[in-house]
Amino acid sequence: MLYINGEWITDGNKMDVINPATGKVIDSVTIGGREETKEAITHATEAFKTWKNIPGAKRGRYLATVVKLMREKREILAETITRENGKPFSDARGEVRSAIDYLEWYAEEAKRLYGDTLPASQVDKHLMVLREPIGVSAAITPWNFPLSMITRKIAPALAAGCTVVLKPASQTPLSAIKVFECFHEAGIPKGVVNLVIGPAEEIGKEMTSNPDVRKLTFTGSTAIGKKLMRDAADTVKKVSMELGGHAPFIVFEDADIDEAVTGVLLTKFKNSGQTCISTNRIYVAESIVEEFGKRLAQKTAELRIGNGMEDGVDVGPVINKGAMEKIAAQVEDAVKNNGKILQGGNIHKPEEGSGYFYEPTVIQYATEEMQIATEETFGPVAPIFPFSSEEEVIEKANHKQYGLAAYCYTKDMGCGLRMMKALEYGIVGINDPAPIVIQAPFGGVKESGIGKEGGKYGLEEYMEEKFVSIGMK
Ligand code: NAP
């Protein structure tokens, strides 16, 4: 289904949606292409003229109504996420909470869009900086957080006074439809939010080339992010890019091993490792590396793999066959390069159906030569690399290409502070495996992205400063 100018469009070509836990078709949705995207942009451009002038507090009230509706529908939203993405139902509930939290935060922030008055250099001048919404914003989101990535973009955009055209990932359009049902029910004026589901390349081309789009916000792979930046350059759009990552998780000799193991379980196996801030490389001090590996393997073996709708499941499927095969190839390469599998290491065959599962896996004696040391895995595989000094681990932890999230465990405050400064990442968790909160800036450095989402930083992405100098003679 498409949602353009306040109307649902159900006629047209269809696309199947597949449950990755069963490999079966669960729904079929209407898709659109370049024409529909152009139409949506035209309506968003028209709607912007009014929406930007509505007082922020009123825009916030619309968002607050969406919050209320999403709270009422939270169970069905969570079920939709699990069915199309595969993550365990309890994690899907967590994602719904987080999606609502972003809306609620920006419903409040919409009231607080301040400008500045600057001290003048001459007595007969008055200087001001206005902060204005940038305009029509095109948003492209991934499948790994099919709901919260949408609200993390749309909530600040609407709060700032922008209008939006969204393209969700083709694997997970149902969550997007559900959130747009809430926008519709909340009475958000026509054309302010628009949804186009369909072929990425076609929709992306219109979004990047249409001069009426002033902002492009994207979450996805670095390769596609670079392409979109190149395409958007011709019309000099403001861009925000939340791209890939390759997070190091560093465990120093003095760290509490059990706490660090718990941190790895959370950062590695949540969402089956399909999170841009997932741990990719676990660096453990040589003196504790054997013990750490043993304890991590024991805890990993306790994780229950299966269909996310079943009770007690910790790890669901990966998104599709291609993802499963990529993970298998990386593990095979690690074994070829003398890695030792301590746990898992195989494609998991479910008892029923033919979903796409990979066993939660721990690999000891990982080396920099392995593919897994540099390529994003996006799967439940935990490679452990030994290290012998702080200098060595800093050198290795800083990835040439990526700089999204890094984790470090130590009881030595000095070491923690040195790591905080030395790690070239947008997000650093010191003795904290969950350094993500609404009020903080989320985003990477290097090829992990440009711009931030969350808190006051997320709002700035949808605004521009206008300097006004008034002569008073
Ligand atoms: P992807 O292939 O880049 O897809 C992401 C989105 O881009 C989807 O909506 C996709 O549409 C669309 N897309 C693909 N090709 C496009 C094109 N030529 N023009 C316009 N849009 C296009 O990424 P993915 O494999 O789905 O997602 C995993 C990646 O996202 C990982 O690298 C992960 O690290 C990153 N990620 C980053 C963050 C972050 O905040 N930094 C968060 C989550 C994920 P279709 O689905 O229709 O192909």
Side-chain angles (χ1 to χ4, degrees):
M1 289 208 299
L2 314 180
Y3 184 74
I4 299 175
N5 199 32
E7 307 280 343
W8 289 104
I9 298 167
T10 51
D11 287 343
N13 292 335
K14 300 271 192 275
M15 175 184 78
D16 286 343
V17 184
I18 290 166
N19 181 340
T22 61
K24 301 225 165 74
V25 174
I26 49 167
D27 211 333
S28 177
V29 295
T30 304
I31 56 170
R34 191 151 187 174
E35 264 318 297
E36 288 76 11
T37 310
K38 195 171 176 186
E39 197 190 326
I41 293 168
T42 303
H43 288 296
T45 306
E46 196 52 36
F48 178 62
K49 293 175 189 163
T50 317
W51 183 250
K52 68 176 177 182
N53 290 322
I54 289 178
K58 188 166 176 196
R59 291 198 299 265
R61 283 200 292 279
Y62 280 113
L63 291 177
T65 309
V66 179
V67 167
K68 184 174 162 286
L69 291 166
M70 283 179 67
R71 285 219 170 102
E72 285 166 15
K73 296 173 204 264
R74 57 184 182 269
E75 290 297 284
I76 183 72
L77 285 166
E79 195 183 318
T80 304
I81 293 174
T82 296
R83 286 174 72 230
E84 67 178 354
N85 163 284
K87 71 180 66 176
F89 189 56
S90 55
D91 292 349
R93 278 183 168 146
E95 183 180 341
V96 174
R97 275 195 300 277
S98 149
I100 293 173
D101 285 349
Y102 280 106
L103 282 158
E104 193 165 49
W105 180 273
Y106 288 109
E108 289 293 321
E109 285 296 290
K111 298 173 195 162
R112 304 188 183 107
L113 305 173
Y114 303 109
D116 292 317
T117 302
L118 306 183
S121 320
Q122 290 169 228
V123 286
D124 57 355
K125 281 199 178 186
H126 184 72
L127 310 182
M128 291 187 300
V129 178
L130 309 185
R131 295 179 73 234
E132 299 185 332
I134 187 158
V136 175
S137 302
I140 302 177
T141 50
W143 46 264
N144 60 348
F145 289 90
L147 193 73
S148 61
M149 290 299 110
I150 292 176
T151 60
R152 198 160 85 174
K153 293 184 187 308
I154 292 188
L158 297 198
C162 295
T163 54
V164 178
V165 178
L166 170 81
K167 188 212 112 42
S170 295
Q171 278 119 330
T172 55
L174 303 177
S175 303
I177 292 171
K178 286 266 171 280
V179 73
F180 270 73
E181 284 171 2
C182 295
F183 290 141
H184 184 72
E185 220 179 305
I188 295 202
K190 287 182 179 192
V192 170
V193 280
N194 303 273
L195 171 67
V196 186
I197 298 164
E201 182 122 23
E202 248 189 78
I203 295 172
K205 272 215 171 84
E206 186 60 33
M207 285 178 159
T208 49
S209 64
N210 192 315
D212 286 339
V213 173
R214 295 311 320 143
K215 162 86 192 180
L216 176 68
T217 170
F218 171 75
T219 297
S221 60
T222 296
I224 299 295
K226 286 181 186 177
K227 176 186 159 28
L228 293 172
M229 281 176 78
R230 280 193 292 268
D231 294 351
D234 278 343
T235 43
V236 193
K237 299 186 197 313
K238 182 164 174 169
V239 295
S240 301
M241 296 280 148
E242 301 288 350
L243 308 176
H246 208 277
F249 191 111
I250 304 163
V251 186
F252 283 95
E253 189 177 27
D254 65 340
D256 180 315
I257 295 184
D258 289 327
E259 272 184 26
V261 163
T262 305
V264 169
L265 292 172
L266 189 74
T267 58
K268 183 67 257 183
F269 299 120
K270 271 271 170 207
N271 223 18
S272 302
Q274 303 170 111
T275 303
C276 48
I277 57 166
S278 282
T279 289
N280 276 270
R281 295 162 286 148
I282 305 161
Y283 292 104
V284 183
E286 256 170 9
S287 55
I288 57 164
V289 73
E290 296 296 330
E291 184 59 23
F292 181 91
K294 198 172 96 195
R295 292 195 212 175
L296 179 62
Q298 272 166 2
K299 287 286 176 193
T300 303
E302 290 168 14
L303 297 174
R304 208 180 132 209
I305 185 166
N307 186 321
M309 286 311 292
E310 286 166 18
D311 280 344
V313 163
D314 301 297
V315 180
V318 292
I319 194 68
N320 54 31
K321 193 159 180 268
M324 188 175 76
E325 287 168 355
K326 180 185 164 197
I327 296 162
Q330 278 197 1
V331 172
E332 205 177 300
D333 169 78
V335 171
K336 238 187 247 157
N337 282 287
N338 304 319
K340 183 179 171 202
I341 305 274
L342 296 185
Q343 177 60 37
N346 298 296
I347 285 174
H348 170 83
K349 301 251 185 303
E351 279 162 29
E352 283 175 45
S354 55
Y356 315 116
F357 294 89
Y358 199 88
E359 291 174 353
T361 297
V362 179
I363 303 175
Q364 185 64 286
Y365 313 125
T367 63
E368 304 298 314
E369 288 69 46
M370 296 174 180
Q371 285 169 6
I372 212 163
T374 48
E375 286 176 22
E376 205 179 4
T377 306
F378 242 50
V381 182
I384 304 173
F385 303 72
F387 73 88
S388 55
S389 73
E390 195 175 306
E391 295 70 33
E392 179 198 347
V393 80
I394 289 170
E395 179 72 22
K396 288 183 170 165
N398 285 331
H399 196 280
K400 279 196 174 40
Q401 184 186 9
Y402 294 120
L404 186 54
Y407 308 90
C408 168
Y409 274 62
T410 174
K411 285 188 189 137
D412 175 350
M413 196 59 173
C415 173
L417 289 171
R418 287 194 297 279
M419 296 307 288
M420 174 188 86
K421 292 181 104 175
L423 289 168
E424 295 165 359
Y425 287 83
I427 301 165
V428 177
I430 310 274
N431 299 319
D432 182 2
I436 309 300
V437 284
I438 304 159
Q439 62 270 36
F442 184 101
V445 298
K446 299 183 182 170
E447 293 183 26
S448 285
I450 290 180
K452 303 289 177 217
E453 293 187 329
K456 63 177 182 176
Y457 314 93
L459 208 48
E460 282 158 15
E461 299 288 330
Y462 296 92
M463 305 201 79
E464 282 184 313
E465 283 87 36
K466 180 189 278 176
F467 172 59
V468 185
S469 175
I470 305 170
M472 298 189 295
K473 272 195 196 136

